[in-house]
C-alpha cells in the first residue's frame, strides 16, 4: 500500500478513472491523494498591462480549483487526506507533474493514457510516456483498455445514447507500471 499518491487530472472522465485505482492502492490508515490540475499559463497574464488576460488567467485558475474541490469531495473517506493543487503550465506538462510528485513526496503517480495514435499523438504528445521516462517516482499508467477507463467511457457513451458493450469482456484490460527502468504489465482486478 502507498501513503501518498499523485493523480494528475485534466477534467476528462478518462483521467478521473485513475482515481479508482489510486484509491485501491492507497493505505487505508492515513493515506493521501494529491490531486493536481494544470492551468494554462500565459506570461502576459502576469503583467498589469494586460488586465483582460489577467482576469482570464484568474478565472481559469478558479475554475481548476473548483473542479479539484468537487473531485476531491467525491474521493474523501475517513482516514484519507485529499490535497488539491492547481499547477501553472510554464513548461512541459510531464516536467511540472514530475516536480509536483517530488515536492509532495509522493510514493506513486497514477495517471491514464488517452491512447492517442498517429498524427494526433505526434501533435499532442504523450504526457504519460514522458512521465514514465522522466519522473523519479514510480508511475502507474492506465491504458485506454484498462477496466476502469473502459467503464468510464462506457458510462459516458451510455449517457450519450450510444450502444455500449456489456459483460466481463467489456471491462477487462491491462495496465503497465513503469518506473526505475522496469516495466510490469498485468490485469487489474
Amino acid at each position: 500500500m502507498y501513503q501518498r499518491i499523485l493523480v494528475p487530472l485534466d477534467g476528462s472522465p478518462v483521467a478521473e478513472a485513475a482515481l479508482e485505482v489510486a484509491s485501491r492502492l492507497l493505505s487505508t490508515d492515513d493515506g493521501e491523494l494529491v490531486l493536481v490540475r494544470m492551468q494554462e499559463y500565459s506570461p502576459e497574464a502576469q503583467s498589469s498591462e494586460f488586465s483582460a488576460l489577467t482576469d482570464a488567467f484568474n478565472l481559469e485558475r478558479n475554475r481548476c480549483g473548483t473542479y479539484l474541490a468537487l473531485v476531491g469531495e467525491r474521493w474523501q473517506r475517513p482516514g484519507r487526506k485529499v490535497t488539491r493543487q492547481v499547477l501553472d503550465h510554464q513548461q512541459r506538462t510531464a516536467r511540472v507533474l514530475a516536480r509536483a510528485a517530488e515536492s509532495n513526496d509522493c510514493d506513486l503517480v497514477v495517471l491514464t493514457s488517452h491512447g492517442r495514435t498517429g498524427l494526433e499523438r505526434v501533435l499532442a504528445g504523450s504526457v504519460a510516456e514522458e512521465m514514465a521516462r522522466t519522473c523519479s517516482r514510480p508511475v502507474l499508467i492506465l491504458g485506454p483498455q484498462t477496466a476502469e477507463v473502459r467503464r468510464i467511457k462506457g458510462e459516458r457513451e451510455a449517457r450519450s445514447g450510444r450502444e455500449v458493450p456489456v459483460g466481463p469482456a467489456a471491462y477487462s484490460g491491462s495496465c503497465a507500471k513503469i518506473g526505475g527502468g522496469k516495466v510490469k504489465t498485468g490485469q487489474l482486478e
Side-chain angles (χ1 to χ4, degrees):
M1 300 305 260
Y2 295 91
Q3 289 300 114
R4 188 172 294 126
I5 300 176
L6 182 88
V7 182
L9 300 170
D10 63 7
S12 73
V14 171
E16 289 180 23
L19 289 162
E20 181 71 37
V21 174
S23 185
R24 284 193 258 153
L25 294 172
L26 196 62
S27 171
T28 55
D29 296 336
D30 58 350
E32 179 179 357
L33 284 175
V34 180
L35 310 180
V36 297
R37 171 86 192 252
M38 297 293 293
Q39 175 189 359
E40 291 302 317
Y41 176 78
S42 168
E44 296 85 14
Q46 300 300 310
S47 168
S48 60
E49 295 175 25
F50 297 96
S51 63
L53 284 174
T54 303
D55 292 345
F57 180 80
N58 291 333
L59 182 65
E60 175 65 11
R61 186 168 199 77
N62 289 337
R63 191 180 68 77
C64 290
T66 300
Y67 165 75
L68 288 176
L70 291 172
V71 171
E73 285 176 19
R74 289 197 317 255
W75 291 94
Q76 189 68 53
R77 305 284 185 279
R80 175 186 297 165
K81 184 177 177 184
V82 178
T83 304
R84 301 170 302 276
Q85 294 178 351
V86 177
L87 305 173
D88 289 334
H89 196 230
Q90 300 176 21
Q91 297 178 350
R92 296 186 60 82
T93 301
R95 287 186 186 144
V96 175
L97 294 174
R99 257 192 247 113
E102 292 166 12
S103 67
N104 285 289
D105 196 26
C106 293
D107 306 315
L108 178 68
V109 178
V110 177
L111 72 158
T112 57
S113 169
H114 288 275
R116 295 183 182 101
T117 58
L119 184 60
E120 186 179 17
R121 181 174 180 163
V122 171
L123 295 174
S126 174
V127 172
E129 183 181 323
E130 189 174 344
M131 280 291 292
R133 285 185 284 119
T134 62
C135 189
S136 65
R137 309 299 172 151
V139 175
L140 176 64
I141 299 171
L142 305 175
Q145 297 304 314
T146 303
E148 284 74 13
V149 176
R150 289 183 55 102
R151 181 181 55 78
I152 295 290
K153 285 182 176 179
E155 289 172 0
R156 186 178 61 205
E157 289 174 358
R159 286 194 299 271
S160 71
R162 292 190 217 153
E163 281 194 32
V164 179
V166 214
Y171 300 107
S172 64
S174 62
C175 66
K177 181 177 182 180
I178 303 172
K182 297 179 182 176
V183 178
K184 295 181 182 180
T185 60
Q187 294 290 323
L188 290 176
E189 298 174 3

